[in-house]
Amino acid sequence: MIALTGQIERITYANEENGYTIAKLKVQDQWDLITIVGNIPSPSPGETLDLKGEWVHHPKYGDQFKIHSYRTTVPATVHGIRRYLGSGMIKGLGPKMADRIVKKFGEKTLDIIEHQIQRLEKVEGIGAKRIALIQQAWKDQKKIREVMLFLQSHGVSTGYATKIYKTYHNRSIAVVQQNPYRLCMDIFGIGFVIADRIAEKLGFPKNSELRAEAGIIYVLYGLADNGHIYYPYDRLVDKCKEVLEVDGLTIQTALERLFAESRIVIEDLNENLNTSKAFSKAVYLKKHHVCETGIAARIAMLLQTPPAAPPIDVAGEMDRVQKLFAIRLAANQLSAIKSAIDNKVTIITGGPGTGKTTIIHAILKIMRRYRLRVMMAAPTGRAAKRMQETTGQEAKTIHRLLDFSLQKGGFQKNETTPLDCNALIIDEASMIDTHLMYHLLKAVPIQATIILVGDVNQLPSVGPGHVLGDMIQSGQIPVVSLTEIFRQAKKSRIITNAHRINQGEFPIVDPPAGPDAETDFYFIEQKEPERVRQTIMELVAHRIPARFGFEPIDGIQVLTPMHKGIVGAENLNNSLQNALNPGEERVSRGSNSFRIHDKVMQIKNNYDKLVFNGDIGRIEKVHTENQTVLISFDQRNVLYDFSELNEIILAYAISVHKSQGSEYPAVVLPILTQHYILLQRNLIYTAVTRGKHLVVVVGTRKALHMGINNNKTMKRYTYLEQRLSNFMKNSG
């Protein structure tokens, strides 16, 4: 083992997820900088490190010092102090301010910050407010470093260590030592695998009670991420045995404890309870059971409660609306309007070009004529904005409608403080998961009318459940299916092809006649993934903007079935970022590297910031001193701490699932046989319907055929359909 001491000159690479760092080290009496590689928590230029390790030779980068262990010391030299303070490690200090401080106090700088911080007032640009910021950051950094060193010795990365400290503060080490599995539940990004690794190093046995319980919850949340509301008991036991590598008795005992503690619900779904069988037992996370049963109960109550609204002359009003709009409504459009007015709950479903927007507008006109208070909402900001633009009436996201407040403890609109409306119209209803639908229905006044509009053939919600589909299949709610494509919509190949795909037919991909002829749907044959990637780059950066005038970043959205691979979202994002937004200045967190003006997406609901899974924004500013990033979402600026950047990803290319509820001027979609596992009809249909003015598919006819022919959607374990039937049967 070789010992080495030196000062970090610069960070070449730092991975927040696993702590792996490549840095240049200045060693005394050596002219050339040394490359060091290994796990270092929160490395900063200017820090002095005492290292133990070995020399290794990299075929491309030459000799490197591989770190086995290390100890960090306070930088001693003036140069080191300047680099350390200016690295962004201490909020309130950037390179310029660090330089001023060090010029003033030299080698005494760190001692003055530690013991005589008020003396910083003598430095130009530093007042009481900045001193307070620096002082707090200095204290936090010392505490964080202790936590980081403890956690890093147990396999935790720097980024997660920071989050742990922010959650538990001075109790961090004690909490982790007592029950490391708490991290799974309390901190976003720390899953069971990381917590389990920490627990193992702390001496927790594989068959410990805490591990079995945490493992079951982990598996159930993973299944929920795949859309399941519950999971069959026996299948769950088998899955947990596989994941946790313990015997079935350990799992069954842990399930009993979780049930006794009301953390899970175990329910027999067999209708004949006298002949109960093991395979009919379902295991729910407690909140999922509450939501699913609550939806069924609430819908039953709505259907059985008479409306408070006055009688409406439906036939007369529909004639008036047709004259007002100067159009002739189709028979199923008239049926949809009549159902929405006559019934307490109505579902209107149909694909693009079938007149859903016209129906919403007509319902709104009629109800407002009778002085009814009508509210409108959609699951996403973009969908709500589109709804508002087409109707001229305010529309909100469902979260805003329900007035979510983290400080006050959740949704403020509920059964005790309901929405002030006679009717509620919800667009893009296929996107609503079980949790959100439950809270929405709780807030609807029991005398009110609710109209759900959506496209049941799209991908189901990203969150767990299949709410709209289950409600339709139950047969308990009036449903109007719109199938007729209107003449104007028929001119669009996007709409025509979307319906062909939905019916299992191959889309029209022949180029339009004539050299200057244009259409809104193109297919480019490319077999090799690398050529597909290159073609996408050419299309987004040059060909589409030049021919159609769409802005490359905001006007064109690349959608892909996959996250990994050459034409997966991750690789395409890196390529598109370098092409569309080049630059050296960046903030790196994990595998992501962000630049000013980058297009980014939020990947989890953040109720504190009122930013939700799937929201797309642009990075406006990066504050190195404050360690914050300013992101604009639909003209609303939101501040992120560096440690929160694992909540966002680059969004030049996104998965098809993440595109639900959004429309884009132009869509580019790679379809290759390498995607075969994910190629399904509803995925391709959803992707195509996201394009408003242009869709370009790049790939092979074979892959497109495979996807269109695959109409076997993955089964989601839900019981809402049966619960609705049972509620109505029992109440009838």
Side-chain angles (χ1 to χ4, degrees), residues 400 602 606 608-612 615 617-621 623 628-641 644-645 647-648:
R400 286 187 181 275
Q602 180 78 12
N606 189 319
D608 194 23
K609 299 182 189 294
L610 287 176
V611 184
F612 302 102
D615 286 355
R618 294 284 292 271
I619 294 178
E620 298 294 332
K621 291 180 182 176
H623 298 281
T628 57
V629 174
L630 192 69
I631 304 177
S632 174
F633 294 95
D634 284 328
Q635 300 179 331
R636 189 174 70 90
N637 289 337
V638 181
L639 200 64
Y640 285 73
D641 192 86
E644 297 173 314
L645 292 181
E647 293 185 13
I648 64 168

Side-chain angles (χ1 to χ4, degrees), residues 190-203:
I190 298 185
F192 176 81
V193 175
I194 295 172
D196 199 36
R197 189 168 68 228
I198 298 167
E200 185 182 7
K201 292 198 174 187
L202 288 168

Side-chain angles (χ1 to χ4, degrees), residues 4-39:
L4 196 67
T5 299
Q7 194 173 82
I8 297 177
E9 189 68 21
R10 65 177 180 270
I11 309 295
T12 305
Y13 174 80
N15 189 321
E16 284 289 320
E17 303 302 313
N18 57 24
Y20 183 76
T21 299
I22 304 172
K24 294 292 186 180
L25 197 75
K26 179 76 173 81
V27 178
Q28 196 173 2
D29 299 327
Q30 289 198 30
W31 179 259
D32 293 327
L33 298 177
I34 291 168
T35 301
I36 59 172
V37 296
N39 285 35

Side-chain angles (χ1 to χ4, degrees), residues 183-448:
L183 302 176
C184 308
M185 300 294 107
D186 295 346
I187 299 169
F188 173 73
I190 298 185
F192 176 81
V193 175
I194 295 172
D196 199 36
R197 189 168 68 228
I198 298 167
E200 185 182 7
K201 292 198 174 187
L202 288 168
F204 283 77
K206 269 198 168 185
N207 63 349
S208 75
E209 291 183 4
L210 285 174
R211 183 174 186 268
E213 290 172 13
I216 290 167
I217 299 295
Y218 161 69
V219 169
L220 283 170
Y221 269 107
L223 292 165
D225 287 341
N226 290 325
H228 303 296
I229 290 294
Y230 75 87
Y231 213 64
Y233 183 94
D234 285 355
R235 292 191 66 182
L236 179 65
V237 171
D238 290 341
K239 197 167 189 67
C240 290
K241 280 164 60 179
E242 181 187 338
V243 171
L244 300 179
E245 298 178 335
V246 295
D247 60 87
L249 183 61
T250 300
I251 301 298
Q252 289 172 345
T253 306
L255 281 166
E256 288 172 12
R257 284 196 302 272
L258 290 167
F259 177 67
E261 295 167 6
S262 295
R263 294 171 66 188
I264 64 170
V265 173
I266 302 175
E267 184 182 4
D268 193 332
L269 300 183
N270 195 320
E271 289 187 7
N272 186 352
L273 297 180
N274 294 322
T275 59
S276 176
K277 298 175 182 175
F279 64 77
S280 68
K281 286 202 297 185
V283 184
Y284 288 80
L285 287 166
K286 179 66 180 289
K287 68 175 183 180
H288 290 164
H289 190 265
V290 168
C291 291
E292 189 177 80
T293 54
I295 290 171
R298 195 72 183 174
I299 287 175
M301 287 175 66
L302 281 163
L303 289 171
Q304 292 162 7
T305 307
I312 294 175
D313 175 14
V314 181
E317 288 299 325
M318 288 194 295
D319 285 341
R320 195 185 70 82
V321 163
Q322 290 183 96
K323 288 175 185 173
L324 182 68
F325 291 173
I327 58 170
R328 190 91 186 146
L329 294 169
N332 59 1
Q333 285 183 306
L334 294 170
S335 296
I337 296 166
K338 187 175 188 317
S339 180
I341 291 170
D342 287 346
N343 297 294
K344 287 291 299 299
V345 184
T346 294
I347 296 172
I348 301 168
T349 179
T354 56
K356 295 194 297 292
T357 300
T358 302
I359 290 168
I360 292 173
H361 204 180
I363 294 167
L364 193 60
K365 286 283 185 188
I366 293 170
M367 287 185 168
R368 288 176 69 180
R369 181 169 152 82
Y370 281 76
R371 301 185 183 278
L372 299 179
R373 296 184 304 280
V374 185
M375 288 183 169
M376 301 197 305
T380 67
R382 291 190 175 209
K385 188 178 179 183
R386 194 166 65 246
M387 202 179 184
Q388 184 167 314
E389 287 169 352
T390 55
T391 63
Q393 176 169 316
E394 183 185 30
K396 298 179 178 180
T397 64
I398 296 173
H399 285 90
R400 286 187 181 275
L401 183 79
L402 301 181
D403 188 18
F404 185 89
S405 170
L406 193 69
Q407 292 76 23
K408 295 177 182 177
F411 294 107
Q412 299 309 291
K413 296 296 181 182
N414 48 45
E415 58 267 66
T416 55
T417 54
L419 297 166
D420 182 19
C421 66
N422 304 114
L424 177 64
I425 304 173
I426 302 292
D427 201 7
E428 297 286 356
S430 64
M431 292 184 64
I432 306 176
D433 63 24
T434 301
H435 179 261
L436 190 57
M437 182 62 82
Y438 170 62
H439 286 283
L440 176 65
L441 291 173
K442 280 206 303 179
V444 177
I446 206 65
Q447 297 86 9

